[in-house]
Amino acid sequence: MALLAAFTLPAGATWWSPGDGTPFPAQYDDADPDGVTRLLLDGGPMETKGHPFFEPKGKYGRACVTCHQPSDGMSLSAETARIRWQETEGNDPLFAAIDGANCPDLAQGERASHSLLLDHGLFRIARPWPPVDHDGQKIEPDFTLEVVRDPTGCNASKVWGLSSPNPQVSVFRRPRPVANFKYILAMGFAVDPKVGKPLPIDPETGQMVSGNLMADRRVLSLEAQMRDAAHSHLGFDALTPDDIKRIRDFEDRIFVARQRDRVGGDLDSMGARGGPETLAKSEPGRLGSQGMAVWSEFAAWEKIPADADITPEQRAWRESVARGARVFREKMFLITDSAGINSPVGFGNPVRNSCVFCHNMSQMGMDVAPGQVDLGTTTMPFADPQPHLPLFRLTCKGPAHPHYGRVIHTHDPGYALTTGRCEDVGKITLQTLRGLTGRAPYFASGSAPDLRAVIDYYDRRYNIGYTEQEKRDLVNLMGAL
């Protein structure tokens, strides 16, 4: 089969099945009602037949591509999961009981057994309890963990729960996109300022790592993530060094970003530098690149010439994106009671800053300072109502949590399930901000159904006081990334 430099799948043909041999082009445009998200394979195109990212491996019939769909910006949207359920009557490997169901011991043919994936885009993540470190040694946690509410029944399961022969905690999270790793793996400096300690060392390589790969930093390197995913999600423990090398080569070369908006037109035009080529050609930057550098590719749209050959609708949308970028950089507010920001480091509580305080990496909007933060998205009293998720009560054995006190209620303890430390409850690795439109819902728990809900959450959480215009501008900015 001849490889193509660029293509768009036929209407309706959006699903990449494991082992179907579809070649991966140098440029892949995925169209939706609001525009186009573009994937750029640097050095592509590439055959997928026989490639370990695309071939089914393990006992569930899945491949990496099952949960990291090109049509969803190398992640997976809840809408795509619903369409796949309807098309296959629930028989696709995507719905494997191990994590595509609310619990493996539920009746697998019933939609209700897969409601968290279908309605919220969530996969079950099983964490050992008590936690184990990166060498597999048990950690004695400094908090107790009790289940207050268990709508899936999995934490109470005698086979899969806390009282099973291999005790585990089931939490439910969104799949993180497999793209733009040049930025995800970048390190602004050698210390994690969120805890005031040196960055972790990968035991395999002896090198410092960013720790930004997984929501709870349960693995340190991309290679370790591959093995973890193969075991947990594919049911496969035999990735060869060559498999890992080929997957790493593909993942290092894939970039994703929004390319065209239905109203605003091409995002790489009239001085703007949107699209994945910007990511492929740019560098993550270091601390000090934050602030004005973030989303500076849209600065040219702040003052569009009066005689520009664009429609009034295009002008209005592009000016909105530029305003959103300025709000993102410059709208100041008080950041309060957020572990990893206000504690344990010395930024103070509150600290006055803008969105770029955490989302400061040029071109990407991640944090050049690695580490996990608690924005309250899963933890009371800040989390939005999520009655479909389990609720845990954690009680600190030692010092109380600096912001929640001694007793904490949370849907997902986050980083604390890796460290066993009460001070880490609720901490989550920041999400990447490119290709957002193709992978709703948002936040690790899927609690924000759309981009407006993301902005509304932050507005409530930190009492920012965004105007309606500022909210629309921020949504348009997020949609342009």
Side-chain angles (χ1 to χ4, degrees):
M1 180 183 295
L3 292 179
L4 302 177
F7 78 103
T8 301
L9 286 176
T14 60
W15 184 261
W16 291 60
S17 292
D20 70 3
T22 302
F24 205 99
Q27 175 184 306
Y28 168 49
D29 285 350
D30 179 61
D32 59 56
D34 294 319
V36 172
T37 297
R38 176 168 292 174
L39 276 70
L40 178 70
L41 182 61
D42 195 18
M46 185 187 81
E47 286 281 7
T48 65
K49 187 174 180 58
H51 194 284
F53 188 93
F54 296 89
E55 288 292 338
K57 291 181 177 292
K59 55 188 176 183
Y60 307 132
R62 287 174 167 175
C64 304
V65 75
T66 300
C67 303
H68 299 284
Q69 287 283 312
S71 301
D72 287 0
M74 301 305 293
S75 179
L76 184 78
S77 71
E79 181 182 17
T80 293
R82 289 191 292 271
I83 292 172
R84 197 62 184 162
W85 177 272
Q86 294 166 358
E87 290 178 342
T88 67
E89 297 182 338
N91 291 314
D92 193 89
L94 174 65
F95 306 108
I98 191 65
D99 61 358
N102 298 351
C103 195
D105 55 13
L106 296 175
Q108 294 303 303
E110 298 179 6
R111 187 192 189 283
S113 300
H114 305 267
S115 61
L116 293 182
L117 175 54
L118 295 170
D119 297 335
H120 306 280
L122 299 171
F123 287 89
R124 188 179 74 93
I125 306 297
R127 299 304 319 277
W129 187 257
V132 296
D133 63 21
H134 294 113
D135 294 320
Q137 301 299 311
K138 287 187 177 181
I139 298 171
E140 179 63 33
D142 67 2
F143 59 87
T144 61
L145 185 150
E146 304 168 81
V147 180
V148 176
R149 185 180 71 230
D150 190 28
T152 71
C154 220
N155 285 292
S157 169
K158 298 299 183 182
V159 177
W160 304 98
L162 287 162
S163 61
S164 66
N166 296 301
Q168 54 188 244
V169 181
S170 288
V171 292
F172 298 84
R173 298 175 184 158
R174 299 281 293 115
R176 297 172 73 87
V178 172
N180 305 332
F181 276 118
K182 177 168 63 173
Y183 299 86
I184 295 171
L185 300 176
M187 293 171 283
F189 43 88
V191 173
D192 177 353
K194 298 176 177 66
V195 294
K197 297 178 181 179
L199 291 180
I201 302 294
D202 179 4
E204 295 185 48
T205 65
Q207 301 296 313
M208 286 184 173
V209 292
S210 73
N212 282 342
L213 282 169
M214 308 293 283
D216 55 14
R217 198 195 260 187
R218 66 182 180 269
V219 298
L220 295 178
S221 68
L222 197 51
E223 289 78 8
Q225 184 275 330
M226 294 176 201
R227 289 190 289 269
D228 177 84
H231 172 78
S232 301
H233 305 303
L234 304 184
F236 185 69
D237 291 308
L239 281 180
T240 68
D242 184 63
D243 288 336
I244 291 173
K245 181 180 178 180
R246 294 177 69 191
I247 295 172
R248 176 67 190 262
D249 170 73
F250 170 72
E251 293 181 346
D252 280 344
R253 294 191 291 122
I254 191 72
F255 296 91
V256 62
R258 198 66 165 167
Q259 182 65 36
R260 173 174 285 273
D261 182 80
R262 176 180 59 83
V263 175
D266 202 313
L267 300 174
D268 186 11
S269 64
M270 293 186 62
R273 293 177 291 107
E277 281 197 24
T278 295
L279 301 180
K281 295 176 180 178
S282 302
E283 294 300 325
R286 301 290 176 178
L287 194 70
S289 68
Q290 66 186 52
M292 290 299 293
V294 179
W295 316 137
S296 60
E297 63 259 40
F298 300 117
W301 286 352
E302 289 189 322
K303 296 180 180 180
I304 301 174
D307 60 351
D309 186 20
I310 56 176
T311 67
E313 292 78 14
Q314 285 178 320
R315 178 185 294 274
W317 188 87
R318 294 181 184 194
E319 290 176 344
S320 175
V321 169
R323 287 195 305 268
R326 186 167 291 279
V327 170
F328 191 93
R329 296 191 302 261
E330 299 179 9
K331 179 87 170 185
M332 305 293 283
F333 52 90
L334 294 177
I335 303 169
T336 60
D337 298 327
S338 298
I341 301 175
N342 303 115
S343 65
V345 291
F347 292 125
N349 188 21
V351 59
R352 185 175 176 81
N353 217 298
S354 68
C355 299
V356 299
F357 192 57
C358 293
H359 298 284
N360 51 54
M361 185 181 287
S362 58
Q363 315 302 341
M364 179 59 65
M366 293 188 71
D367 196 343
V368 296
Q372 286 64 45
V373 298
D374 171 33
L375 301 174
T377 55
T378 65
T379 304
M380 307 301 115
F382 303 116
D384 289 331
Q386 298 170 66
H388 50 281
L389 293 181
L391 184 66
F392 304 98
R393 178 169 53 240
L394 281 57
T395 303
C396 305
K397 297 178 183 177
H401 189 280
H403 309 298
Y404 297 125
R406 189 169 300 279
V407 178
I408 309 166
H409 287 86
T410 182
H411 298 298
D412 185 345
Y415 189 36
L417 292 178
T418 298
T419 67
R421 296 193 299 253
C422 186
E423 67 183 35
D424 293 328
V425 172
K427 287 184 179 179
I428 298 288
T429 303
L430 293 175
Q431 292 279 347
T432 63
L433 299 185
R434 288 291 190 170
L436 288 168
T437 56
R439 52 185 172 94
Y442 305 103
F443 295 135
S445 64
S447 59
D450 52 38
L451 293 173
R452 175 59 184 257
V454 173
I455 305 304
D456 285 341
Y457 174 80
Y458 282 115
D459 193 40
R460 294 191 304 271
R461 171 65 177 86
Y462 295 115
N463 298 308
I464 299 173
Y466 286 132
T467 66
E468 183 61 28
Q469 181 67 67
E470 287 173 331
K471 289 184 177 183
R472 288 197 298 268
D473 293 342
L474 284 168
V475 168
N476 285 336
L477 169 67
M478 296 294 102
L481 300 179

